[in-house]
Amino acid sequence: MNQVADILKLAIKAKQQGIDAVLATVVRTEGSAYRRAGAMMLICEDGRSVGMISGGCLEPHIIKRAFWLTRNGANVQVYQTGDDIHYADDCQAQASVKRTNSDIYDELDSDLDNDLNSGLDDGLNEADFDELNFGLGCNGRVHVLFERLTTATPLLETIRNVRRTQQPITVATLIRVNDYQHQDSITQNSDKLQIGMRINLDEHRNLGSISAQGKTTFSSILANTVEELAEYKLSDKNAEYVTVENGKVTTEWLVQRLQPQLRLLICGAGNDVMPLVTMAKLQDWHVTVIDSRAQYATRMRFPQADVVMSLSLGDSETLLELSNNAAVALMSHSLSQDRARLAILLKHSDNYKYLGQLGPRYRTERLINEVSMNLSNPAMLEAGTHKLHYPIGYKLGGDGPDALALGIMAEINAVMHDQKAPINGSHSNFSNIPAVSSDTDANTVQSGV
């Protein structure tokens, strides 16, 4: 959920200032795309915007047309990012912006074609035309949902709740109805399936109820569809494109598992922690800095951190609470602090997702030996020592706190996302860290009515 914090902040400001805004969300990708489904961008009517839904090629067009596209309500647009320029018999370049054949997906307005054609008349070269046409060689398609802030607010509130409670929520967003023309004969006029409507699937699983956009009663079509969606199991991905066939109506959904922020607990508040905090916040992580020395653990020293606190070495309960499901970096430059933290954390290896110790190998092994000597059963540290990364971070080259922070974040990201570590300084053994993502074939669920 990168850049989500900025989107949430701007949404609050816009609402307080009475300024309308449009939320653009990637709901599906085909082929290669820079951002995955779920990526968001918020555009305010006063020109402010945050977030990204591509590598920069789509944003100018989207900022320009966001409010025009949502003049009649939420809708989905499809953008081609491949080499889609064709040439007529007279060798003149022609636009080939991809449009959907669905009645639900609003067509890209002809102004874009006019802009492109006038650009060619004004002497733009082929490269300029290619960029305007989003033909950046990615060879993919990006489906983007546009909705006004009023409609998007419940989703943003749900995301805030996930971040506050640290509990994930599964949400299904309607992005297309293939047989929309039959809705009047199937459903009541007040109960049409609306593009952008969202269903809290966890609420349905736990309570058996359906609620969306303030309504609690729905037609049998939607009720049966939600039943099928509730039974759908997401894979390792947190967002998937799913179709549900329900009688004569086929609906397409983005099913998302809204996850809380990744969390980083840094034990130690030295100067070399500062760039680590900055790099983690650039990725929208929740960062906590603790130190037993109150003069180091101050908000003035770490203004970007979410939590800064002085924590005594004997407070193991708070340490375990802060490290729960987090990545933990031990870098206090203090033998007594590191020893005390390790004594607790190594015995609770299931509590955290990553544990790293700053300092040379012999120093960490000394600490482990000192901790084990005070235990009646040293074997209880075995799982923790296998999970411990020391010296902390990848050795990427460079010198100083910034290079150290980069190596630490690289290693934590690899571990948190189940990537393989590089060998001999090479990244060739990473299992798969693409700059692009691709959407698999639709997962189709059959349902009878």
Side-chain angles (χ1 to χ4, degrees):
M1 299 172 72
N2 192 22
Q3 299 178 315
V4 172
D6 293 334
I7 291 174
L8 295 177
K9 290 178 183 177
L10 183 57
I12 291 176
K13 290 181 180 178
K15 189 173 182 179
Q16 292 173 342
Q17 297 166 356
I19 295 173
D20 201 1
V22 172
L23 182 69
T25 305
V26 176
V27 292
R28 183 187 177 191
T29 60
E30 300 173 87
S32 297
Y34 190 81
R35 298 300 305 278
R36 294 180 174 87
M40 299 187 299
M41 180 180 184
L42 187 68
I43 305 105
C44 293
E45 61 183 347
D46 62 1
R48 290 175 294 174
S49 66
V50 292
M52 293 179 64
I53 61 170
S54 74
C57 53
L58 299 182
E59 281 76 5
H61 169 81
I62 285 171
I63 290 173
K64 178 182 177 182
R65 305 200 182 279
F67 284 89
W68 187 90
L69 290 171
T70 54
R71 67 198 184 282
N72 295 322
N75 68 92
V76 175
Q77 296 287 326
V78 184
Y79 298 96
Q80 178 79 21
T81 60
D83 297 323
D84 58 345
I85 293 178
H86 301 285
Y87 294 88
D89 294 338
D90 58 0
C91 297
Q92 294 298 312
Q94 294 181 337
S96 182
V97 177
K98 298 294 184 181
R99 292 187 175 91
T100 175
N101 291 325
S102 169
D103 291 333
I104 296 305
Y105 283 34
D106 280 357
E107 284 192 340
L108 291 173
D109 59 290
S110 60
D111 289 347
L112 177 59
D113 291 330
N114 294 335
D115 290 345
L116 294 175
N117 291 328
S118 64
L120 287 178
D121 293 339
D122 292 337
L124 287 176
N125 58 33
E126 181 179 330
D128 293 327
F129 182 83
D130 188 53
E131 182 176 358
L132 287 171
N133 204 39
F134 316 126
L136 303 181
C138 298
N139 295 319
R141 300 180 78 192
V142 181
H143 301 237
V144 182
L145 168 66
F146 293 87
E147 55 189 325
R148 292 292 175 95
L149 184 57
T150 302
T151 305
T153 293
L155 172 65
L156 299 180
E157 291 295 338
T158 299
I159 294 174
R160 288 191 188 94
N161 187 55
V162 168
R163 294 160 81 91
R164 185 183 70 255
T165 64
Q166 291 292 301
Q167 297 298 318
I169 293 177
T170 306
V171 174
T173 303
L174 181 63
I175 61 176
R176 192 180 184 188
V177 183
N178 287 349
D179 217 354
Y180 191 77
Q181 63 269 28
H182 293 298
Q183 284 205 67
D184 284 332
S185 61
I186 296 175
T187 65
Q188 299 175 2
N189 289 334
S190 61
D191 192 25
K192 290 184 178 180
L193 301 179
Q194 298 176 352
I195 301 305
M197 70 182 304
R198 292 183 173 89
I199 307 294
N200 185 328
L201 296 181
D202 291 335
E203 183 180 82
H204 176 70
R205 292 165 182 157
N206 297 331
L207 304 177
S209 61
I210 305 174
S211 63
Q213 297 178 337
K215 294 192 292 186
T216 57
T217 57
F218 297 92
S219 66
S220 60
I221 292 290
L222 182 58
N224 292 335
T225 296
V226 172
E227 288 288 344
E228 298 298 330
L229 288 171
E231 295 177 3
Y232 183 80
K233 302 297 182 183
L234 283 169
S235 64
D236 293 336
K237 296 186 296 183
N238 287 320
E240 294 184 25
Y241 164 73
V242 179
T243 66
V244 180
E245 296 180 0
N246 210 320
K248 294 182 178 180
V249 178
T250 299
T251 52
E252 302 177 17
W253 301 80
L254 169 66
V255 179
Q256 291 177 274
R257 186 185 296 110
L258 300 177
Q259 295 282 12
Q261 290 171 284
L262 294 177
R263 298 172 59 241
L264 173 62
L265 170 64
I266 306 174
C267 301
N271 291 346
D272 54 355
V273 170
M274 296 175 181
L276 181 59
V277 172
T278 298
M279 290 186 184
K281 292 307 297 180
L282 283 173
Q283 297 185 71
D284 195 27
W285 287 31
H286 183 282
V287 180
T288 300
V289 178
I290 65 172
D291 201 299
S292 64
R293 301 161 293 191
Q295 68 272 24
Y296 286 97
T298 66
R299 172 60 62 182
M300 183 177 294
R301 285 171 54 78
F302 300 97
Q304 291 181 295
D306 297 277
V307 178
V308 183
M309 62 186 301
S310 175
L311 186 69
S312 68
L313 299 182
D315 192 348
S316 58
E317 182 178 349
T318 301
L319 177 64
L320 291 175
E321 180 181 343
L322 294 174
S323 63
N324 186 40
N325 290 322
V328 183
L330 301 177
M331 44 194 309
S332 69
H333 298 279
S334 165
L335 285 171
S336 60
Q337 283 208 64
D338 289 348
R339 186 188 304 111
R341 308 300 190 199
L342 276 174
I344 301 300
L345 295 170
L346 290 179
K347 290 186 292 186
H348 298 85
S349 59
D350 292 337
N351 191 62
Y352 45 84
K353 295 183 178 180
Y354 168 94
L355 179 62
Q357 173 67 64
L358 180 70
R361 180 171 294 273
Y362 72 84
R363 179 183 184 275
T364 302
E365 291 175 348
R366 169 189 169 183
L367 291 170
I368 294 173
N369 289 332
E370 292 173 353
V371 170
S372 63
M373 289 175 59
N374 294 322
L375 298 175
S376 58
N377 180 21
M380 66 190 307
L381 301 180
E382 184 175 351
T385 55
H386 286 160
K387 198 170 183 177
L388 178 63
H389 297 262
Y390 64 97
I392 192 172
Y394 291 152
K395 307 309 173 187
L396 303 177
D399 187 27
D402 292 341
L404 173 64
L406 181 61
I408 292 174
M409 287 306 302
E411 183 176 69
I412 293 177
N413 268 290
V415 172
M416 299 283 268
H417 295 96
D418 298 321
Q419 302 297 321
K420 295 180 180 179
I423 298 177
N424 296 329
S426 170
H427 60 274
S428 59
N429 280 347
F430 277 90
S431 59
N432 183 25
I433 308 182
V436 299
S437 62
S438 59
D439 189 60
T440 57
D441 292 339
N443 302 283
T444 303
V445 182
Q446 299 286 344
S447 173
V449 178

